[in-house]
Structure formats: C-alpha cells, structure tokens
Amino acid sequence: MNGKTASGKPVNDFLVEKVVFRSSPIKNSPEITIQSKNMDVWPSVIDASDKGCVNIESIKDLASISFKSSGVGRTIRSIVKDDGHVVFTMDDSLIEKDTLESIKTKFFEKFGVPMFQEIANNKFADGQADLIDYVMGQRDYRKHSQGDAKGLYEALMKKKLLKNITEAYAECTNSDCPHETRIDDSTVILGECPICDSPLRVRENISTQIGISEVRAEVKRKLRIWCDDESWIMLGDSNLTFGNNTLKLIKLERSGDQRPLQILITEHTLDGRLLSKLHKMMNPLIAVFVGQQEKFIGKYTSECIQAISFGKLYVQKDDDLKLFFDSIYSNLELRAKNYLASAANKSYHSLCGIHCPPDSLDKTLYTPGDLEDDGYALLKDMFPNSVKWGKQQSGKQLPEGVFSLSYVRNDKERYAFSFDFKLAYKNEGYPLEIAEQRKAVQYVKDLNDSDLISSYAKQRKLSGHIFISNCFNAAQVDTTVKYFEDQLPSSVITKPIFITTDALTHLHLKYRENFEEVELAKNYYMHWLFEALVNKSNYVTRDHVDTIFKKLLTKQYREVDVMDMTLLTDEVTKKDAI
C-alpha cells in the first residue's frame, strides 16, 4: 500500500478502475469502495491509506479489484477459505489463453500475489486468527498433520486449549450390520451383537476437543490486562438460566458510571430464543465464539451483542488490548438507542402473550426473570432515567428497580417510583401475602432514607412502589394498601400502585403510536401520567391511559411549534404544477 508495485517496476496496460475493501478503520467498519471510470484508481487508494481510511490487516480485507488490460475488463474477487487462506479468482471465459496468461503475470507483478492459487494468509494477524479458529473447530486430529496447521495444533495442545479425547465404541464385526454403541471401558469383554448375534469388537476413536476451561482462563487474562488502568472492574462470574441450560457470563463494570459489560464464551451456536432473551436484557455483551470462523458468526452481531472469534482475541498483543476492547465497547454504546427500541418492541410482543389466563402459562417457557426483562425494557423505553437491580443485585434487599419522571408546571416537578414484577401462574392472581408486603414496605423505607431520593424528589420520598403483574388478587391488593398505610408514617406519601401487564403494554403501545405528540407536549404528558400513577384507586388502568392520549391528541397542549410539513409539501407541489 506504499504506491509501488510488488515487482518494483511500472506495470503497463493494467488499469485498476475499482477496489472494494471488506472493512475499514471507520466507525462500525463499513465496506469501502474506491472507484474511478477510465482512470487508474490506485493513487486514490494510496491516498486513502495515507489518511487512515483503509488499512490492510489481512489479504482477505481486499474483496475485489476491477481492471482493464489487453482490451479485457474483469473483476477479480477474493475467496476466503475455511482455514483463512485466500484465492483470487475471476471469470476467465471467452479470454484467449495468451491474454489470460498476460493478465495473470501483470496481476502478480503489480500486487505480488498469484491468481487462481491458494495464498497463505497467516502473515497477517487476521489470517493467524482465521487459522486458529479453523484448527480449533476441527474434531479430526488427522487434519492437522501438515503445514501451518500442524505447528499451530501442537502449540494449542501444549497450552491445553485443545485436548485429544479417546472414545471407545462397541461395533459389530458383521460389515452389513449397523450396530454401534459408545462404551466407557475399552477393556470390557464384549458379547454378541443384539441385532445379528455376530461377535462385537472395540473400536477406539480419537477426537480433538476444546479445553473450554483453559480458553476461559485466557480470555480472563486478557480482560484483566484491559482492566489494569482501573477504567473497568471485573466483578466475577454470573449465571444466566435459559430453559434447562445455565450460561456462565463474565461481568465487568465501567468505573466512571457503573455501566455493565458481559462476556459470553461459547463453542456452540446460539439459539434464536436465547438471542432474543439477551437482546431484551439490554446489557452490552461480547460473545466470544470458540472454534467458529469469523465469517459464520457475523450474524450474531446486532443490537447489544458484538460477536468475535476466539482467534481474533487470541492474536491481540497485550499492548493492543485496551484499544481493541475500547473499540468494541464504543461500538456497542453507539447502538444503545437502537437496541433499546428493538428490545422494547420484542418485550411488548412477549408481554402481550401472557395476558391469557395465568394457569395456561408454561413455567418452563416463561419465567419470573422473563417478566423482569420484558417489563423493564418497556419502562426503560418510556422512562430513560431508570435502573434495574433485580437479578443483577440478587441477595440484596432491593426492589427490581427505580425510575424517575420530571416535568415543569409552575415549578420543576420531580418524582421517583420503585417497581417490582410479580408473575402469576394461577387465575386467582399473584399471592401478595404478608411476607411480600413486608418486603415491599422495607424497600420503601430503605429507599426513602437515600440522600439521592430525598434531594431529587419534590416530596423528598418515593411517590409510589409499583407492583406489575399479569394478574392481581383483588383482596390481597386491598390488604397491601392497608399494610402500607399502617406501617408507614402519615408523613410518608409513598403508596402502593398496581399495574397489570395488559395496562402496561397498552400504555407502551399508545406511547409509541403517538411518540411525536408526546415530545411536543412532554410536560403535560408527564403531569397526566404522574396523576394516573398516584390516583385514588391505586390501580393504573387502560381507561387512565386512554384519557391521557385523548387529551394529548387534541394538539391544544403542544409546547413546541412545528411546521406542518404536509401542508408545505402540498403547497410546493401544487406551485410546481402551475
């Protein structure tokens, strides 16, 4: 990329009109195309390289080159093989043999690599990463018997990142019989085949397995280096339950603002339902895929998830780790607004599915943790100044979370609410028994002692503790209201508030449908919403929501003047017609 040809001599009659790069150093690494018609584009490529717009980290970064030579115009494309090696190829049909040989020679003289031949890519870091992912993804140890793969395989075995496992099978000696079964002890005396009564024999099979514990230790070592300057703190491991499986996540926290980051290490593909759950949790997550090639894991990079291969992380030098991880997290932060809206949309549809009679809910398919994630995604979308504790602070006496709302009337009005999610599996509603009532009151007392709550909230206390459930027990709602009144001093205005998931999803639907009107009358909207939350009945219903939006849609409460773009469009289009 220094402007010189590989041969060091000018290459005549080889006009490069277009170069396409698969990635770039620009934010989000978009593909870059540099093109110029009937003019050699190579000087522009050199200029782009000098300015840091393009950077060849691997031969595979070069996606294609369009050229003209000997009266022929073609596009040469790079094909990336499973082991990371690259082949440059093109459609050579209808090209005479002598012309084709001339093109191949000129391509080699200009770029220093051949066409139609496999090119080792492991001189570049990305090529080394591809080879690591390829080797770690192979279960047949015999595939690593030669070339670069052999040396790498031996090095990974030495570090125990790969291990050979011997498995024994009892198979039938009759070649026409399909019987085969795995056995734990290869020295066991075998009997006859249960299918054809022929003698059985032992067959041993050696397979290469990933040393996942050692991989995990290596990832943690690199994370600790990133955390050396104390801008990030490693909090240890946490478990995420998904169906019958438990995933182990590495948790980190940014020192300045306690923003979370999770690391998932996996040698398996991710189930679509698991991806949806991770998206709805809205916590930035780096998924490190082991033994899976980069070209196959790109589909997992979306919303709050950034997928990288273990090979990509493994080849990073310790001095480069800060830039590497900072870049990934910065990318995730830029997507925060998008994945919040997406998570809320997924959660809305998920919550709508639990309005049915509670006793029809499948406990294995929808859990209290799912309600926490779904409900919080809706709250976070409507009340950006919110926090979820719940599972993140399990073992501590805290509610699921807190959100605030503020608006201006004659003065600044600022209020805070805590919230808890209660999933009912029975038609009589969630059992808000005395133990639950005591916990809720204690949450309120503890939070009302907070200096931040007292300095922020207008009334120096929480305005309410909100219970959110798919179904409430009416009698227990009444006893909960009375318990709050009995246990909290008359000077404390914090009241219990009850919202069904049906009312919550209705509010979120109306909010999304009328988002522009909400923004144009934000102070009125927040005031009406506050009044709905603290109404005398202690319930927030669909009727309360409809009343808010009925007033909002009259448009007489708008606080911001906007131009009517429909009228403007109509005016200018008619004017052009005249």
Side-chain angles (χ1 to χ4, degrees), residues 540-572:
V540 177
T541 67
R542 276 177 167 255
D543 288 341
H544 289 116
V545 174
D546 290 337
T547 298
I548 291 172
F549 285 92
K550 184 176 180 180
K551 288 187 288 187
L552 188 71
L553 293 178
T554 64
K555 301 185 180 181
Q556 61 181 301
Y557 298 99
R558 285 183 170 183
E559 300 158 307
V560 179
D561 291 329
V562 292
M563 184 186 297
D564 191 322
M565 293 303 177
T566 302
L567 288 178
L568 176 63
T569 301
D570 187 55
E571 177 186 314
V572 298

Side-chain angles (χ1 to χ4, degrees), residues 174-225:
N174 179 358
S175 60
D176 295 327
C177 179
H179 176 72
E180 179 182 272
T181 185
R182 185 174 173 179
I183 56 177
D184 295 327
D185 184 1
S186 61
T187 63
V188 69
I189 298 175
L190 302 177
E192 295 180 338
C193 175
I195 296 177
C196 67
D197 298 330
S198 299
L200 293 174
R201 65 186 171 201
V202 174
R203 176 178 61 82
E204 290 189 338
N205 181 59
I206 300 174
S207 65
T208 302
Q209 305 290 329
I210 291 169
I212 198 67
S213 296
E214 287 74 15
V215 166
R216 191 175 188 82
E218 176 62 13
V219 173
K220 282 190 171 183
R221 185 189 72 80
K222 290 184 177 288
L223 288 171
R224 290 190 189 97
I225 293 172

Side-chain angles (χ1 to χ4, degrees), residues 222-237:
K222 290 184 177 288
L223 288 171
R224 290 190 189 97
I225 293 172
W226 181 39
C227 297
D228 271 351
D229 64 358
E230 299 183 351
S231 58
W232 285 87
I233 302 169
M234 283 186 68
L235 300 178
D237 296 344

Side-chain angles (χ1 to χ4, degrees), residues 410-421:
N410 297 324
D411 196 3
K412 287 183 179 179
E413 306 283 339
R414 301 189 301 195
Y415 304 97
F417 297 84
S418 55
F419 55 87
D420 260 329
F421 299 102

